[in-house]
Amino acid sequence: MTTQQLPVGSGAQNQKHKLPMAALLALATAVFITSLTETLPAGLLPEMSADLHVRGSATGQTVTIYALGTALTAIPLTAATAGWRRKHLLLTAIAGFAVANTVTALSPYYPLTMVARFVAGVAAGLAWALLAGYARRMVPVGLEGKAIAIAMAGIPVALSLGVPAGTFMGKVVTWQAAFLAMSALAVALTAWIMAVVPDYAGKRQEHRTPMRQALRVPGVAPVLFVTLVFVLAHTILYAYIAAFLAHVRMADSTDLALLVFGGASLLSIWITGALINRRLRSLTIASTLLVGAAAAILAVLADSPALVYLAVLLWGLGWGGVPTLLQTAAGQAGGDQADAAQAMLVTLWNLAMAGGGVVGGVLLDLLGATSFPWSVLALVAPALIVVVSTRTHGFPAKRSS
């Protein structure tokens, strides 16, 4: 992966620390659209279920089918479009979101809604495999972690502002209006990208390597394993947070809980961006412990609304930096195979999202909402073991030079 070369002489030192903020914020907005399109149904399950005439567990599968669309297509589409210019590929993905969200908003039929969600997932597969590498290419060596943190800030913003706003809009206006607003944002972002985001060439055929070779690179497999179990744990709880809060008699507090979660996630990603170049492993351990602590509180102390909010706060602090941490770890571990490692991470991430939707739906129907935090605890434990034990590859104690 190439990086920008700094000029030698006057002004070089100042430019070394200068980030292309307008372009990086455009990428952050693309991440915002990708993340919010995926998670928006979490706050709109009752309204969507009523209009589509299906059960809540079936509506939860709109998250699953989105994730499947990404998981099934990320690797083959990344390989097929490796030679495309990067800006053209990004614009194609954003156009896919605009179309899919519009169809989702206008569809009165559950099967058509599921098709639209699958198409949105395909667009996400293109975007997720592209965005981290795009951010890295915009900045000098040593600033890649900060660049990725800025781009990934779209995730906590989506969770802290987008999902609560969408939930509120679903109650006050309609849930369809929330998806139409996403389409309008995608159109505006298209103009923004065309104006400020630099373009880069894709890879020539002779420079491409089979993605499976990345699995042989030390450190890649542990990062992928942690991605799979950590995202699965998070999704089981997040996709059905409205159902869990209803079970603990806090159904009217879903939007507030999501706001607390998102605000904590924003703080988490700020801390991550500041420390990631020096404390990747420590931050990942801390994130895992915080999510585990939140799940433990929800498992045994959810009778207290104050403790539920505390758990949501800890959950957000733990989760907010995870996308940046895992994508940075994959890029560092992959080395020359970083793009392939990122594509596999995207695939496993979304398989975990799909699995979380399915497993969460089964748990909800068979065991009830109380099973969610216990499932999170069972999954984050092996993730913590892998992160703690992987010292030199995957999750190094210090950034390799």
Side-chain angles (χ1 to χ4, degrees):
M1 184 175 293
T2 60
T3 55
Q4 293 176 339
Q5 298 298 315
L6 295 176
V8 178
S10 177
Q13 188 65 28
N14 289 335
Q15 290 192 28
K16 179 179 179 181
H17 301 288
K18 187 175 181 180
L19 293 170
M21 290 303 299
L24 288 173
L25 290 175
L27 296 190
T29 304
V31 170
F32 174 88
I33 290 176
T34 303
S35 181
L36 184 53
T37 298
E38 185 168 28
T39 57
L40 191 55
L44 299 171
L45 282 180
E47 294 82 7
M48 293 180 69
S49 297
D51 283 355
L52 295 173
H53 308 292
V54 294
R55 298 174 65 183
S57 57
T59 305
Q61 303 317 306
T62 59
V63 176
T64 303
I65 195 69
Y66 178 105
L68 279 176
T70 302
L72 294 175
T73 62
I75 289 179
L77 282 181
T78 298
T81 59
W84 288 28
R85 298 199 66 83
R86 301 293 90 182
K87 182 185 282 192
H88 180 63
L89 186 58
L90 179 58
L91 289 171
T92 299
I94 299 304
F97 283 115
V99 172
N101 282 325
T102 300
V103 174
T104 299
L106 300 180
S107 168
Y109 307 112
Y110 180 73
L112 179 58
T113 299
M114 294 292 277
V115 170
R117 294 289 294 171
F118 183 86
V119 171
V122 173
L126 283 175
W128 279 124
L130 170 70
L131 286 165
Y134 215 143
R136 289 170 63 94
R137 293 178 76 170
M138 288 183 185
V139 300
V141 174
L143 294 180
E144 299 97 333
K146 288 187 177 180
I148 294 175
I150 293 170
M152 292 302 112
I155 295 175
V157 172
L159 299 178
S160 63
L161 299 178
V163 175
T167 302
F168 178 77
M169 188 177 294
K171 294 178 180 178
V172 176
V173 189
T174 64
W175 66 266
Q176 292 91 339
F179 282 97
L180 288 175
M182 294 296 294
S183 296
L185 180 59
V187 173
L189 178 60
T190 298
W192 187 359
I193 291 171
M194 292 177 67
V196 304
V197 175
D199 193 12
Y200 299 98
K203 285 189 175 182
R204 296 181 179 179
Q205 184 67 39
E206 61 269 22
H207 294 156
R208 303 177 203 171
T209 55
M211 290 193 177
R212 62 180 178 274
Q213 290 188 11
L215 285 173
R216 302 170 188 165
V217 178
V220 170
V223 175
L224 296 179
F225 173 80
V226 171
T227 298
L228 180 64
V229 296
F230 209 152
V231 176
L232 179 62
H234 167 77
T235 306
I236 287 172
L237 184 57
Y238 190 85
Y240 295 94
I241 188 61
F244 180 83
L245 291 175
H247 175 75
V248 296
R249 299 180 297 279
M250 294 178 62
D252 293 336
S253 302
T254 300
D255 50 355
L256 180 57
L258 291 173
L259 184 62
V260 171
F261 175 86
S265 296
L266 281 173
L267 177 59
S268 175
I269 201 167
W270 180 83
I271 295 170
T272 299
L275 300 177
I276 190 170
N277 285 336
R278 304 185 304 277
R279 296 286 184 266
L280 173 61
R281 181 168 172 270
S282 298
L283 287 169
T284 309
I285 292 173
S287 292
T288 311
L289 290 173
L290 284 168
V291 173
I297 293 173
L298 293 177
V300 299
L301 299 172
D303 289 340
S304 167
L307 290 177
V308 170
Y309 284 122
L310 173 62
V312 170
L313 177 69
L314 295 176
W315 180 19
L317 286 173
W319 177 256
V322 167
T324 300
L325 292 169
L326 293 177
Q327 293 207 34
T328 301
Q332 289 188 15
D336 292 339
Q337 304 293 326
D339 287 348
Q342 293 285 357
M344 286 189 289
L345 183 145
V346 168
T347 297
L348 285 177
W349 186 290
N350 285 278
L351 282 174
M353 292 285 292
V358 172
V359 173
V362 172
L363 290 173
L364 181 61
D365 287 340
L366 296 183
L367 300 177
T370 55
S371 61
F372 296 153
W374 291 108
S375 300
V376 173
L377 282 171
L379 287 165
V380 298
L384 179 62
I385 292 171
V386 170
V387 175
V388 169
S389 62
T390 309
R391 294 178 177 274
T392 57
H393 298 291
F395 298 98
K398 293 183 180 180
R399 185 179 186 272
S400 57
S401 57

